[in-house]
Amino acid sequence: MDMKKRIHLELRNRTPSDVRELVLDNCRSNEGKIEGLTAEFINLEFLSLINVCLISVSNLPKLGKLKKLELSDNRISGGLDVLAEKLPNLTHLNLSGNKLKDISTLEPLKKLENLKSLDLFNCEVTNLNDYRESVFKLLPQLTYLDGYDLEDREASDSDGEVDGVDDDDDEEGEEEEDEDGEEEDFDEEDDDDEEEEGVEGEEEDEVSGDEEEEDLGIDGEVDDEDDDEDDDEDEVEAVKGEKRKREPDDEDDEEDDDEDDD
């Protein structure tokens, strides 16, 4: 992809001053020129130009806040003096896989007072005798060369990072934590709602149970009254039956009395 087009895609709805990290790896530069990259990227802190066919760094814009520059797998053979002028706050520089042959080509890097990490893997200069000792002596501000310090201690992950570049990740992590916290709050509210609904349901069950008992009590009283009425009716019928039985007997007694009189 063309470098200018890639930068346009990277910007999208942002302005150059909003960009803090820009990766243009494997893009095609125009005869070694970095088209589209201008001094408008005033807040840029990390720039990666791996394998873009650069033959010189002279076309880099002035980027006062740039801290880490990746230039590995290009064709740079010298001309490093412009780095101190255009990138005065550079702390990490990767020149691995370039055409650097002599220690003297690194001498301009002395002006980069904040430079603490330099990578020269797969450069011819690394084949020189006393390469490491010579570079550390030439650049006393260096802490790490090719990932190791003067005592051959490997650089930690934190030393390999650029201060400030990962702030966005930290902010995203904080936002995620806030969202998780909000979700937990919502879950707690849902639990509270469920508990309230459960209490209301129990109260409704108790009320309905009391109403049912009252209904049963009323029905029971009504049934008792019906039973009393039935008993009264039975007594009346019994009295009537006795009267019916008694009437024929009384007539027979009267007839017997008449016969005796005769």
Side-chain angles (χ1 to χ4, degrees):
M1 180 182 290
D2 181 79
M3 188 174 292
K4 190 174 182 179
K5 189 174 182 180
R6 176 68 173 272
I7 291 174
H8 179 72
L9 290 175
E10 288 285 341
L11 288 176
R12 295 193 182 106
N13 297 324
R14 299 183 295 173
T15 62
S17 60
D18 295 329
V19 181
R20 298 177 61 191
E21 183 175 344
L22 187 60
V23 178
L24 303 173
D25 299 347
N26 304 311
C27 291
R28 294 189 304 271
S29 61
N30 184 11
E31 297 180 356
K33 295 181 180 179
I34 310 169
E35 292 186 338
L37 184 63
T38 67
E40 292 179 344
F41 290 83
I42 56 175
N43 293 312
L44 194 64
E45 295 182 10
F46 173 81
L47 175 61
S48 186
L49 295 167
I50 298 173
N51 190 31
V52 296
C53 300
L54 281 184
I55 58 176
S56 171
V57 294
S58 60
N59 291 318
L60 283 171
K62 187 172 183 178
L63 302 169
K65 291 187 177 181
L66 194 71
K67 295 181 179 180
K68 186 172 183 178
L69 179 61
E70 292 279 348
L71 293 173
S72 58
D73 299 328
N74 284 290
R75 302 172 186 172
I76 300 168
S77 59
L80 302 180
D81 52 302
V82 299
L83 293 178
E85 177 188 345
K86 296 185 177 183
L87 313 173
N89 292 307
L90 202 63
T91 60
H92 292 66
L93 177 61
N94 190 343
L95 288 167
S96 301
N98 279 278
K99 306 297 182 180
L100 302 171
K101 299 179 180 180
D102 302 317
I103 296 291
S104 60
T105 60
L106 305 176
E107 190 168 354
L109 299 181
K110 289 194 296 185
K111 296 179 181 179
L112 289 171
E113 297 178 357
N114 298 314
L115 189 66
K116 67 178 184 178
S117 178
L118 175 65
D119 288 314
L120 297 169
F121 287 113
N122 297 324
C123 292
E124 291 185 36
V125 67
T126 61
N127 297 324
L128 298 175
N129 292 332
D130 300 326
Y131 151 71
R132 288 181 57 80
E133 291 79 0
S134 299
V135 173
F136 275 115
K137 184 177 180 180
L138 177 67
L139 306 173
Q141 76 272 36
L142 276 187
T143 303
Y144 299 103
L145 176 62
D146 302 331
Y148 291 85
D149 66 9
L150 189 57
E151 305 297 329
D152 286 334
R153 289 174 296 196
E154 188 174 5
S156 63
D157 292 337
S158 60
D159 290 327
E161 295 175 358
V162 179
D163 297 336
V165 172
D166 297 327
D167 287 349
D168 291 338
D169 295 336
D170 294 339
E171 290 175 0
E172 289 177 1
E174 290 175 1
E175 290 177 359
E176 290 177 359
E177 288 178 1
D178 292 339
E179 290 176 359
D180 293 338
E182 290 176 359
E183 290 178 359
E184 290 178 0
D185 292 339
F186 288 139
D187 292 338
E188 290 177 359
E189 290 177 2
D190 293 340
D191 293 338
D192 293 339
D193 293 340
E194 290 178 358
E195 290 178 359
E196 290 178 1
E197 289 176 359
V199 172
E200 290 177 359
E202 291 177 0
E203 291 178 355
E204 290 177 359
D205 292 340
E206 290 177 0
V207 172
S208 60
D210 294 339
E211 291 177 355
E212 288 178 359
E213 290 178 1
E214 290 177 1
D215 292 340
L216 290 173
I218 293 170
D219 292 340
E221 292 175 0
V222 172
D223 292 339
D224 291 341
E225 292 177 359
D226 292 340
D227 293 339
D228 292 340
E229 290 178 0
D230 293 338
D231 292 339
D232 293 339
E233 290 178 359
D234 292 339
E235 290 178 0
V236 172
E237 291 294 333
V239 171
K240 289 180 180 180
E242 290 178 358
K243 287 181 179 181
R244 291 195 191 98
K245 290 178 181 179
R246 289 176 184 176
E247 287 177 357
D249 293 337
D250 293 342
E251 289 177 359
D252 292 337
D253 292 339
E254 289 177 359
E255 289 177 358
D256 292 336
D257 292 337
D258 291 340
E259 287 177 0
D260 291 337
D261 291 336
D262 292 339

